[in-house]
Amino acid sequence: SKMTNFLSAIEAKINDKLNPEKLQLIDNSYLHKKHKSFDPKKLHLKIIIKSITLKKMKKIEALKMIFSILDDEMKNKIHALEIEIQ
């Protein structure tokens, strides 16, 4: 599906830039179907990332880095992004 391809693309992008020990993407969009602002074309995404690189950084810097990697996607396709750094 389009969404699967999109998630794979995000995964590839993060892996390419950060090379994390572990990366998991969870599509939580279905949790938000009842919201007034729900847009089926936009994604509620949770990223669980295990990364020594990110762990060494201040949390705000680590988050900024992920947001900058996904800058285009945030503008167009991702409505909400939750990030858990391990």
Side-chain angles (χ1 to χ4, degrees):
S1 73
K2 261 204 183 111
M3 203 44 89
T4 313
N5 293 347
F6 179 63
L7 291 175
S8 302
I10 289 179
E11 218 169 315
K13 230 174 168 176
I14 295 172
N15 280 325
D16 183 48
K17 292 265 194 310
L18 287 174
N19 194 16
E21 281 63 52
K22 196 175 150 206
L23 178 62
Q24 192 186 357
L25 302 184
I26 303 161
D27 178 359
N28 280 333
S29 303
Y30 71 94
L31 295 173
H32 303 270
K33 282 218 185 348
K34 293 191 177 71
H35 288 197
K36 283 193 183 74
S37 65
F38 183 74
D39 178 348
K41 289 188 221 54
K42 293 205 170 179
L43 201 61
H44 282 254
L45 189 62
K46 176 167 184 174
I47 296 177
I48 301 172
I49 185 165
K50 185 177 162 75
S51 163
I52 292 164
T53 310
L54 292 180
K55 264 297 191 201
K56 283 184 189 150
M57 299 164 83
K58 286 202 180 99
K59 185 156 192 214
I60 185 92
E61 297 303 327
L63 295 178
K64 267 189 197 155
M65 190 170 200
I66 294 172
F67 278 111
S68 75
I69 292 171
L70 300 179
D71 190 45
D72 289 347
E73 291 81 356
M74 292 295 300
K75 286 189 189 105
N76 307 310
K77 295 279 294 181
I78 299 173
H79 176 69
L81 182 59
E82 193 189 334
I83 301 169
E84 186 184 315
I85 300 169
Q86 294 176 342

